[in-house]
């Protein structure tokens, strides 16, 4: 799991990181053998002192349906990203703040190595119980065709496949009787993990009574971590509006004189900033509100995903044995998103059991995100044709017809499956945002040069959504055709952008091709048509912002 078949090849857990951090970036191509030797040395890891993480927040703008009993309705809008409370008169943001903590480059490689060790052991535990491996779908490579080799291209299941399995199960079981689907969500999953229980499960996974010192040091680094705020690394603090940048002159000088990207030119420079009070070190961001006990793990480390999966090992096992094997239910968990498909008469029993297991595993259920659906075959036209239809059971016991079951970015109404409407809206907002920025740039350009053409080049905008061509990695001694893909990472300005990273040969994709792939896998033609307004929105947005 932790290396490829060839000894001369770079292990799969050694990957370059493009973001700026407290320590220099690493050229893994030229130094991977030295890195591998150090990280695989248990004595070295036992005494290794991990650097503080950098903490930032990704703000996800969301539009929530307006509850007219609690919030004021503005301009007859049904949804808004800012809601004004009727009771207090204060404006509340519907945006979701996602805390992110990311490690220094070498520390991230240590976490990645131990993640690979734990993942291998965790997979063995899942395989030891019949049917358990199929229940846990997130952060794992699950084959579409088990008979094909591990490195077979396109043989890994995606969220599209996982969602389809749920929807197909509901459809098939509904042929005999009315079926219920219960969707549960864990509240603040990563920040709420209990450290004692996590340590116990870590020991269970690797089959030891007490964690070895090298594992224990990594465990402590994940649970009792320190961090610095990204905003503290800026030139000056600013609470509202556009955030200040960093000391570009210093960063440029470090790149030129030292040959690497980093916020500090040396460890001494970093320590001096702490001693002088220019940089504050924070500790333990997650605490239990009642007991004030330290809890949670940072979301953003290479090891975070496998730890989150491991944490619910006993929960998954209990659901499998009691609900799946004994009651005939269908169970799937994708990280903190839980789905149980059962008979209608089992709804209360399943709810009570899942909630009990949540308490025993020291996680809290998010009641506002817990939903119950019943699927019935209902007549829908004068010809008395029947189709499978979803019915949501509200918290007050009332029913909402054709309210879709939302799972992994899809909406399932029984008779059709579509991409989640908010995801389509997010795509359009991103397109408009790009056009608005390009328009401002074009208008400012004309103010400086009146002879400059007032135009936005559509092909440049389309490039943001098109594929990136495959290319040769000339720096790699095992040069082969590779591809680049984009991941969301913080750049040296503190902004989260899509950055290019190298991966093994694979077909490129964008949002349009994702919809095409989803349409094919789901066997639903309407999915491809969900972006039918994209050309109209593109040209109308250009006309709107360019002519302001």
């Amino acid at each position: 799991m932790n290396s490829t078949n060839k000894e001369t090849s770079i292990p799969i857990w050694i990957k370059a990181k493009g973001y700026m951090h407290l320590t220099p970036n690493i050229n893994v191509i030229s130094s991977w053998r030295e890195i591998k030797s150090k990280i695989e040395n248990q004595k070295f890891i036992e005494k290794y002192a991990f650097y503080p993480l950098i903490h930032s927040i990704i703000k996800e703008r969301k539009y929530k349906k307006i509850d007219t009993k609690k919030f004021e309705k503005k301009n007859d809008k049904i949804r808004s990203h800012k809601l004004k409370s009727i009771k207090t008169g204060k404006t509340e943001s519907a945006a979701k703040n996602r805390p992110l903590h990311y490690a220094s480059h070498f520390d991230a490689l240590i976490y990645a190595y131990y993640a690979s060790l734990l993942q291998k052991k965790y997979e063995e535990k899942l395989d030891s119980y019949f049917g358990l491996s199929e229940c846990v779908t997130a952060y794992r490579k699950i084959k579409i065709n088990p008979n094909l080799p591990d490195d077979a291209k396109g043989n890994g299941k995606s969220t599209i496949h996982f969602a389809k399995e749920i929807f197909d199960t509901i459809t098939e079981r509904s042929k005999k009787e009315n079926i219920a689907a219960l969707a549960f969500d864990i509240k603040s999953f990563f920040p709420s993990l209990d450290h004692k229980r996590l340590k116990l499960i870590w020991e269970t996974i690797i089959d030891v009574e007490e964690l070895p010192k090298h594992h224990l040091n990594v465990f402590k680094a994940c649970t009792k971590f320190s961090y610095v705020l990204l905003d503290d690394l800026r030139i000056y603090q600013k609470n509202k509006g556009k955030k200040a940048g960093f000391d570009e002159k210093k960063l440029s000088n470090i790149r030129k004189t030292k040959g690497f990207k980093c916020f500090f030119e040396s460890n001494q420079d970093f320590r001096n900033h702490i001693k002088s009070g220019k940089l504050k070190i924070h500790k333990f961001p997650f605490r239990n509100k009642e007991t004030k006990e330290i809890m949670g793990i940072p979301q953003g480390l290479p090891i975070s995903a496998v730890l989150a999966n491991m944490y619910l090992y006993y929960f998954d096992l209990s659901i499998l044995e009691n609900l799946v094997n004994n009651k005939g239910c269908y169970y799937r968990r994708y990280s903190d998103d839980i789905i149980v498909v059962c008979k209608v008469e089992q709804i209360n029993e399943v709810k009570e059991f899942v909630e009990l297991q949540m308490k025993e595993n020291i996680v809290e259920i998010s009641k506002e995100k817990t939903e119950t659906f019943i699927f019935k075959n209902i007549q829908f036209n004068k010809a008395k044709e029947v189709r499978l239809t979803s019915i949501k059971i509200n918290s007050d016991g009332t029913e909402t017809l054709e309210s879709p079951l939302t799972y992994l970015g899809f909406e399932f109404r029984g008779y059709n499956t579509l991409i989640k409407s908010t995801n389509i809206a997010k795509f359009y907002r991103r397109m408009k945002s790009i056009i608005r920025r390009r328009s401002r740039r074009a208008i400012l350009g004309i103010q400086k040069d009146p002879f400059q053409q007032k135009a936005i080049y559509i092909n440049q905008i389309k490039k943001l959504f098109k594929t990136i061509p495959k290319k040769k990695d000339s720096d790699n001694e095992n040069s082969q055709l590779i591809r680049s893909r984009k991941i969301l990472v913080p750049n040296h300005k503190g902004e989260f952008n899509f950055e290019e990273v190298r991966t093994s040969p694979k077909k490129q994709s964008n949002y349009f091709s994702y919809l095409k792939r989803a349409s094919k896998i789901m066997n639903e033609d309407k999915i491809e048509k969900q972006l039918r307004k994209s050309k109209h929105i593109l040209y109308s947005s250009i006309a709107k912002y360019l002519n302001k």
Side-chain angles (χ1 to χ4, degrees):
M1 181 73 185
N2 64 336
S3 63
T4 54
N5 292 330
K6 296 181 180 179
E7 293 182 0
T8 56
S9 298
I10 302 177
I12 59 174
W13 52 268
I14 296 183
K15 295 179 181 178
K17 307 294 180 182
Y19 52 74
M20 188 87 72
H21 214 279
L22 306 176
T23 60
N25 62 310
I26 301 173
N27 185 343
V28 297
I29 302 298
S30 61
S31 58
W32 69 268
R33 289 183 178 85
E34 181 184 354
I35 293 169
K36 181 175 182 291
S37 176
K38 282 184 177 180
I39 294 177
E40 290 181 349
N41 184 343
Q42 296 178 4
K43 295 294 182 182
F44 174 79
I45 299 299
E46 285 176 14
K47 299 177 181 179
Y48 182 78
F50 287 83
Y51 276 85
L53 309 177
I54 289 182
H55 170 56
S56 187
I57 292 176
I58 298 178
K59 193 172 184 178
E60 296 180 343
R61 189 179 181 187
K62 290 189 173 184
Y63 283 80
K64 285 191 175 182
K65 192 173 182 180
I66 297 173
D67 184 348
T68 53
K69 294 180 181 179
K70 297 180 180 179
F71 302 102
E72 290 182 9
K73 198 173 181 181
K74 186 178 179 182
N75 299 329
D76 294 327
K77 287 184 177 180
I78 300 173
R79 294 178 182 273
S80 177
H81 67 277
K82 286 188 177 181
L83 308 173
K84 189 174 183 180
S85 174
I86 294 173
K87 187 176 181 180
T88 63
K90 294 181 179 180
T91 301
E92 300 176 12
S93 175
K96 183 178 180 181
N97 292 331
R98 189 180 298 278
L100 180 69
H101 297 82
Y102 51 102
S104 66
H105 293 219
F106 188 78
D107 291 6
L109 294 175
I110 295 175
Y111 290 126
Y113 171 66
Y114 278 83
S116 69
L117 297 181
L118 290 173
Q119 186 68 37
K120 184 179 180 180
K121 291 287 187 180
Y122 177 62
E123 294 287 344
E124 291 173 359
K125 289 289 184 183
L126 293 180
D127 290 337
S128 65
Y129 291 92
F130 180 77
L132 185 59
S133 182
E134 288 79 9
C135 294
V136 184
T137 57
Y139 317 129
R140 301 175 57 219
K141 185 176 180 180
I142 301 175
K143 294 180 180 181
I144 299 173
N145 185 349
N147 297 321
L148 292 178
D150 292 340
D151 58 350
K153 294 180 183 178
N155 194 35
K157 288 185 179 180
S158 67
T159 53
I160 305 172
H161 296 92
F162 300 142
K164 187 177 188 301
E165 288 173 0
I166 293 286
F167 305 153
D168 285 351
T169 298
I170 293 171
T171 302
E172 189 62 31
R173 294 193 176 197
S174 295
K175 292 178 180 178
K176 299 178 181 178
E177 58 188 334
N178 294 336
I179 289 297
L182 281 67
F184 302 89
D185 188 271
I186 298 173
K187 189 175 183 179
S188 302
F189 185 34
F190 285 83
S192 66
L193 301 189
D194 182 80
H195 291 171
K196 291 180 181 178
R197 187 167 187 82
L198 178 61
K199 184 174 179 289
L200 175 65
I201 293 172
W202 195 319
E203 292 164 349
T204 301
I205 294 298
I206 63 174
D207 295 313
V208 295
E209 292 184 1
E210 190 69 30
L211 285 182
K213 290 182 179 180
H214 59 109
H215 273 274
L216 183 61
N217 195 25
V218 177
F219 167 77
K220 288 179 178 178
C222 296
T223 53
K224 297 180 180 179
F225 59 94
S226 59
Y227 63 96
V228 301
L229 300 177
L230 182 63
D231 287 345
D232 286 350
L233 297 169
R234 300 181 186 279
I235 298 173
Y236 58 87
Q237 296 289 333
K238 194 172 182 181
N239 295 328
K240 294 183 179 181
K242 190 175 181 180
K243 292 181 178 179
F246 301 101
D247 190 344
E248 293 295 338
K249 186 176 180 180
K250 179 181 179 179
L251 297 180
S252 177
N253 185 59
I254 291 173
R255 286 194 296 268
K256 289 178 181 178
T257 59
K258 302 293 183 178
F260 53 73
K261 293 191 297 181
C262 186
F263 282 112
F264 302 97
E265 60 183 27
S266 64
N267 285 333
Q268 187 62 47
D269 183 26
F270 171 54
R271 288 193 291 269
N272 289 341
H273 272 70
I274 297 172
K275 288 179 181 178
S276 63
K278 293 181 181 179
L279 187 64
K280 185 178 179 181
I281 301 295
H282 301 265
K283 289 186 176 182
F284 318 135
F286 311 125
R287 289 181 182 272
N288 186 298
K289 291 181 180 179
E290 296 178 359
T291 64
K292 305 301 179 183
E293 189 176 0
I294 302 166
M295 59 194 296
I297 61 173
Q299 192 169 353
L301 303 184
I303 200 173
S304 298
V306 65
L307 293 183
N309 259 352
M310 282 167 39
Y311 187 85
L312 291 177
Y313 170 69
Y314 287 114
F315 174 85
D316 296 325
L317 190 58
S318 180
I319 299 295
L320 175 73
E321 292 177 343
N322 292 276
L323 295 185
V324 178
N325 294 342
N326 294 339
K327 303 293 182 180
C329 299
Y330 183 88
Y331 166 66
R332 289 293 183 270
R333 178 177 67 81
Y334 190 93
S335 187
D336 56 347
D337 289 328
I338 297 166
I339 290 279
V340 179
V341 179
C342 63
K343 297 177 181 179
V344 173
E345 55 268 25
Q346 294 176 318
I347 290 177
N348 292 333
E349 182 184 4
V350 169
K351 273 187 178 180
E352 289 174 4
F353 185 80
V354 171
E355 289 172 1
L356 176 63
Q357 292 306 308
M358 291 272 192
K359 289 180 181 178
E360 290 189 2
N361 286 271
I362 321 177
V363 287
E364 185 180 353
I365 194 169
S366 179
K367 292 184 179 180
E368 62 271 15
K369 291 184 179 180
T370 298
E371 297 178 318
T372 302
F373 297 86
I374 293 177
F375 289 85
K376 295 181 180 180
N377 290 291
I378 298 174
Q379 294 178 0
F380 69 96
N381 58 17
K382 292 181 180 180
K384 295 185 178 181
E385 293 178 309
V386 175
R387 68 182 181 189
L388 184 63
T389 306
S390 62
I391 303 170
K392 183 179 179 180
I393 309 300
N394 302 310
S395 56
D396 59 0
T398 59
E399 298 182 354
T400 303
L401 190 66
E402 296 191 16
S403 180
L405 166 64
T406 302
Y407 188 64
L408 300 183
F410 292 91
E411 295 177 343
F412 180 62
R413 290 174 176 80
Y415 57 86
N416 73 7
T417 304
L418 295 174
I419 298 291
K420 191 178 176 181
S421 55
T422 53
N423 290 354
I424 299 294
K426 190 184 295 183
F427 172 80
Y428 285 141
R429 285 200 301 273
R430 184 188 171 206
M431 180 189 288
K432 289 179 180 178
S433 177
I434 292 167
I435 294 168
R436 185 167 60 248
R437 290 199 304 270
R438 293 293 175 96
S439 298
R440 287 175 183 171
R441 196 179 303 167
I443 293 168
L444 289 173
I446 292 173
Q447 292 175 0
K448 294 179 181 179
D449 181 7
F451 297 101
Q452 181 176 309
Q453 189 177 2
K454 186 179 181 182
I456 292 178
Y457 296 97
I458 294 174
N459 285 339
Q460 290 182 0
I461 295 173
K462 287 181 178 179
K463 284 179 182 178
L464 298 169
F465 307 102
K466 286 188 176 180
T467 60
I468 303 168
K470 292 179 181 178
K471 59 184 178 181
K472 280 268 188 176
D473 184 4
S474 56
D475 296 330
N476 193 339
E477 60 185 17
N478 301 308
S479 184
Q480 59 179 336
L481 274 176
I482 64 167
R483 77 174 184 105
S484 293
R485 66 185 179 91
K486 301 253 178 169
I487 59 172
L488 195 66
V489 296
N491 62 15
H492 67 284
K493 293 182 179 179
E495 301 165 341
F496 284 85
N497 297 319
F498 286 96
E499 183 164 318
E500 191 173 304
V501 294
R502 302 185 324 277
T503 59
S504 57
K506 190 178 179 182
K507 189 177 179 181
Q508 286 290 301
S509 64
N510 56 31
Y511 201 63
F512 288 94
S513 60
Y514 169 76
L515 259 65
K516 188 174 183 180
R517 188 165 66 254
S519 179
K520 183 179 179 181
I521 294 172
M522 291 287 185
N523 194 25
E524 182 63 75
D525 295 336
K526 290 182 179 179
I527 290 178
E528 272 195 87
K529 297 176 182 178
Q530 285 188 268
L531 288 182
R532 61 187 179 277
K533 294 182 180 179
S534 59
K535 187 177 288 187
H536 167 73
I537 291 175
L538 174 67
Y539 286 104
S540 61
S541 298
I542 291 173
K544 176 183 177 181
Y545 294 114
L546 196 59
N547 296 321
K548 266 191 174 183

